[in-house]
């Protein structure tokens, strides 16, 4: 499989950043998260994200959404409004819609492709 890069006004980068969930959002563990941003534009960011096992609360802005595909591992998205969850495993994809409030749980160390778009 070959990778195709499109010309445009975005910033291409391969630098990896490390962070951890904020203490007030932690639900379980204190997982290290690695983000390799591959393309950035004022309204879009995409790349590869990796994370250790753990869980934290998330709240997406009204104008932000994410599409992702899990490469390795398993995650679970818990929706606070419906008290339901969806589990996404390697080879599967998911969407976190605008205004989503819930918990992001990593059941098995995960690696995923992500595209975050602001609308």
């Amino acid at each position: 499989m070959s990778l195709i890069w499109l010309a445009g006004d975005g910033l291409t980068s391969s630098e990896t950043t490390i962070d951890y969930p904020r203490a007030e959002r932690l639900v379980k563990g204190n997982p290290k998260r690695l983000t390799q941003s591959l393309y950035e534009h004022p309204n879009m960011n995409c790349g590869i994200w990796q994370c250790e096992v753990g869980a934290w609360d998330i709240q997406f802005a009204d104008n932000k959404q994410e599409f992702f595909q899990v490469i390795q591992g398993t995650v679970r998205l818990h929706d606070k409004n419906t008290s339901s969850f969806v589990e996404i495993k390697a080879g599967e994809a998911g969407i976190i819609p605008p205004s989503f409030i819930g918990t992001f749980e990593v059941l098995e160390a995960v690696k995923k492709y992500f595209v975050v778009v602001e609308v």
Side-chain angles (χ1 to χ4, degrees):
M1 172 177 14
S2 62
L3 184 62
I4 298 172
W5 290 96
L6 300 176
D9 295 331
L11 168 67
T12 335
S13 169
S14 62
E15 183 176 322
T16 300
T17 60
I18 299 171
D19 76 328
Y20 297 83
R22 294 192 311 229
E24 67 273 12
R25 292 188 175 204
L26 276 177
V27 174
K28 180 171 58 174
N30 189 25
K32 179 165 86 172
R33 306 181 296 193
L34 305 171
T35 304
Q36 183 182 14
S37 188
L38 299 174
Y39 181 81
E40 294 179 21
H41 189 274
N43 297 323
M44 183 178 74
N45 180 21
C46 57
I48 298 173
W49 184 83
Q50 298 177 69
C51 186
E52 299 172 337
V53 171
W56 60 96
D57 292 331
I58 61 173
Q59 182 171 349
F60 266 51
D62 294 341
N63 68 334
K64 185 186 278 189
Q65 58 190 331
E66 177 182 348
F67 166 83
F68 64 91
Q69 180 164 10
V70 175
I71 303 166
Q72 296 173 293
T74 305
V75 300
R76 197 178 273 169
L77 285 171
H78 300 264
D79 187 330
K80 182 178 178 182
N81 293 324
T82 64
S83 298
S84 64
F85 68 85
V86 63
E87 198 168 282
I88 304 158
K89 300 176 183 179
E92 299 177 338
I95 293 175
I96 303 174
S99 307
F100 178 83
I101 299 172
T103 301
F104 194 96
E105 182 179 13
V106 177
L107 300 173
E108 299 172 0
V110 73
K111 182 176 187 179
K112 69 176 184 167
Y113 293 112
F114 71 88
V115 179
V116 176
V117 178
E118 291 187 31
V119 291

